[in-house]
């Protein structure tokens, strides 16, 4: 275990909450909704965009990114998404590392996903690599009412990255706000990377503060690849996302994957270590089980189907990615998706 006696009591309290939720579920008929996030690992098309650094991902580029490889990538990512959350799939799915709307259209229109009939919300971002975030949603369950791309003002001069996607709407008839984010990576400097993520965390926190000031009980879901893990200062101190389910700390977000992190599990694997980079955060209002839409305690899950991971050798049980450096492997993504269940 990564922590001591505090961790024990934290795990104990979550076990009690999970047990209560199970009892509630067994005695009442409830409807479950799946909310997920997936970093697709550089889902580029094959065309060169002169405005972004995507030259490697063309047929003549270093990645030899031709139509066959692109179609394989689309099928693979669609296969993973189709398998998330049971037979009905994800009702809300945040995605990252997608180049443009066209790759999203190709993705939702591919054979494994066509039956889901996902709608898309996407904005082009100023990310130098041209990789964006987006939200796919089931229009029979989620009805968007407003959406925008929130730019991040970085303190580092000349640096830009993707913004934060904010989508407001109704899920199962109740108002919710969904944020989709992918924070900057280190790119050779952990100090700069940490500072950039601090700026992203501060911007997201400003948006949350403004919303909660207007509506203290707003139901908020944050989906993302935060690059930082749950215990980082950016997550706990700046964003105020913790593993504390206590509703009296109303301004905090509850990190539904904190327990996975404490157990040493992760959605991303690097340097022989699991990293819990992909997380889903919910406002404390979604922990209220007394009525209405709420988080199903204990439902947070790393989706790691056998077909999407290495099954033997040094990297057994880790994501089977598309690339290892510039070597084409033909897998899925270097991340596993994560998801939770909401119930009503």
């Amino acid at each position: 275990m990564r922590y001591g006696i505090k961790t024990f009591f934290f795990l104990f309290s979550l076990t009690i909450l999970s047990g209560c939720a199970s009892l509630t579920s067994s005695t009442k008929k409830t409807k479950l909704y799946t909310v997920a996030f997936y970093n697709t690992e550089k889902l580029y098309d094959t065309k060169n965009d002169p405005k972004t650094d995507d030259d490697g991902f063309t047929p003549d580029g270093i990645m030899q990114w031709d139509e066959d490889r692109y179609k394989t990538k689309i099928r693979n990512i669609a296969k993973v998404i189709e398998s998330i959350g049971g037979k009905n799939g994800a009702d809300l799915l945040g995605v990252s590392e997608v180049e443009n709307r066209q790759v999203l259209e190709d993705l939702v229109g591919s054979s494994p996903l066509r039956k889901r009939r996902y709608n898309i919300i996407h904005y082009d971002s100023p990310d130098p690599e041209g990789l964006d975030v987006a939200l796919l949603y089931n229009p029979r369950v989620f009805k968007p009412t407003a959406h925008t791309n929130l730019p991040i003002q970085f303190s580092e001069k000349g640096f830009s990255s993707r913004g934060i996607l904010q989508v407001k709407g109704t899920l199962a008839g109740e108002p919710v706000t969904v944020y989709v984010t992918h924070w900057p990576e280190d790119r050779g400097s952990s100090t700069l990377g940490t500072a950039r993520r601090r700026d992203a965390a501060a911007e997201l926190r400003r948006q949350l503060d403004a919303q909660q000031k207007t509506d203290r009980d707003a139901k908020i879901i944050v989906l993302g690849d935060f690059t930082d893990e749950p215990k980082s200062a950016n997550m706990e101190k700046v964003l105020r996302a913790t593993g504390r389910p206590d509703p009296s700390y109303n301004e905090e977000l509850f990190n539904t994957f904190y327990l996975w992190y404490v157990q040493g599990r992760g959605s991303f694997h690097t340097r022989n270590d699991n990293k819990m980079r992909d997380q889903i955060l919910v406002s404390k209002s979604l922990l209220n089980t007394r009525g209405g839409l709420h988080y199903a305690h204990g439902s947070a899950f790393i989706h790691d189907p056998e077909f999407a991971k290495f099954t033997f050798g040094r990297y057994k049980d880790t994501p089977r990615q598309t690339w290892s450096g510039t070597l084409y492997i033909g897998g899925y993504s270097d991340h596993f998706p994560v998801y939770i269940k909401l119930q009503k």
Side-chain angles (χ1 to χ4, degrees):
M1 298 293 284
R2 290 178 171 171
Y3 304 106
I5 192 68
K6 290 184 178 179
T7 298
F8 173 79
F9 285 113
F10 169 70
L11 298 180
F12 179 75
S13 66
L14 282 192
T15 301
I16 295 299
L17 285 171
S18 300
C20 291
S22 299
L23 288 173
T24 301
S25 298
S26 64
T27 56
K28 293 182 180 180
K29 186 177 180 180
T30 59
K31 176 68 175 175
L32 294 172
Y33 303 92
T34 302
V35 180
F37 176 81
Y38 192 17
N39 180 325
T40 64
E41 188 202 7
K42 300 186 187 310
L43 182 50
Y44 282 103
D45 63 20
T46 62
K47 300 174 184 177
N48 179 37
D49 183 348
K51 297 179 182 178
T52 63
D53 183 18
D54 68 345
D55 294 2
F57 286 86
T58 59
D60 296 327
I62 192 172
M63 299 301 194
Q64 300 178 33
W65 194 240
D66 58 22
E67 197 66 20
D68 286 341
R69 289 184 174 185
Y70 173 68
K71 288 180 178 178
T72 298
K73 175 80 169 181
I74 289 289
R75 285 195 301 270
N76 285 351
I77 294 298
K79 184 178 180 181
V80 174
I81 292 173
E82 193 270 340
S83 67
I84 293 173
K87 65 178 183 178
N88 294 324
D91 296 295
L92 290 173
L93 172 65
V95 292
S96 71
E97 296 200 10
V98 292
E99 184 178 16
N100 50 43
R101 187 178 181 91
Q102 185 58 56
V103 300
L104 292 165
E105 295 282 3
D106 292 344
L107 181 62
V108 300
S110 62
S111 180
L113 285 186
R114 195 176 302 126
K115 62 184 178 182
R116 303 285 192 207
R117 298 183 179 178
Y118 283 119
N119 283 2
I120 300 166
I121 298 176
H122 165 264
Y123 289 85
D124 286 319
S125 77
D127 180 64
E129 293 184 308
L131 294 173
D132 309 326
V133 298
L135 182 71
L136 309 182
Y137 65 92
N138 177 353
R140 297 178 295 280
V141 174
F142 181 72
K143 310 294 183 184
T145 55
H147 50 82
T148 188
N149 182 59
L150 304 168
I152 301 169
Q153 300 300 319
F154 291 98
S155 54
E156 180 186 346
K157 187 176 180 180
F159 180 79
S160 63
S161 186
R162 53 209 152 243
I164 301 166
L165 177 61
Q166 180 197 67
V167 182
K168 295 185 177 182
T170 58
L171 178 62
E174 293 196 29
V176 297
T177 301
V178 181
Y179 294 88
V180 187
T181 187
H182 184 181
W183 292 359
E185 300 190 27
D186 289 341
R187 299 295 180 204
S189 171
S190 59
T191 301
L192 276 178
T194 298
R196 292 164 180 169
R197 292 191 291 277
R198 183 166 60 246
D199 291 338
E203 177 58 38
L204 180 52
R205 186 66 251 178
R206 280 193 291 272
Q207 297 294 331
L208 296 172
D209 286 343
Q211 186 171 4
Q212 290 180 319
K213 184 177 181 180
T214 302
D215 181 3
R216 186 175 184 272
D217 296 318
K219 294 186 175 181
I220 298 169
I221 306 165
V222 182
L223 312 170
D225 175 353
F226 298 90
T227 306
D228 284 323
E229 292 194 278
K231 191 64 178 175
S232 71
N234 285 333
M235 292 297 293
E236 287 201 318
K237 305 299 183 184
V238 182
L239 184 56
R240 299 206 296 278
T242 74
R244 178 165 46 192
D246 188 344
S248 61
Y249 295 88
N250 187 71
E251 77 287 351
E252 290 182 349
L253 296 168
F254 176 63
N255 192 332
T256 63
F257 281 86
Y258 201 98
L259 180 57
W260 286 84
Y261 165 73
V262 169
Q263 293 175 334
R265 303 290 296 277
S267 59
F268 178 78
H269 184 84
T270 183
R271 297 181 182 176
N272 298 317
D273 188 24
N274 293 313
K275 300 290 186 182
M276 196 66 248
R277 289 180 29 162
D278 306 280
Q279 301 154 52
I280 299 178
L281 321 173
V282 298
S283 57
K284 294 295 179 69
S285 55
L286 279 167
L287 301 185
N288 183 358
T289 62
R290 289 175 293 184
L293 191 69
H294 61 275
Y295 168 62
H297 292 287
S299 66
F301 195 75
I302 299 173
H303 184 60
D304 59 345
E306 288 296 317
F307 64 79
K309 61 185 178 181
F310 293 106
T311 54
F312 59 89
R314 178 183 177 184
Y315 298 107
K316 185 177 186 295
D317 294 329
T318 65
R320 186 153 66 94
Q321 69 269 43
T322 305
W323 301 96
S324 177
T326 59
L327 175 65
Y328 179 68
I329 295 175
Y332 299 79
S333 171
D334 52 359
H335 291 246
F336 289 129
V338 294
Y339 72 83
I340 65 170
K341 299 279 188 178
L342 300 180
Q343 67 183 49
K344 187 174 182 180

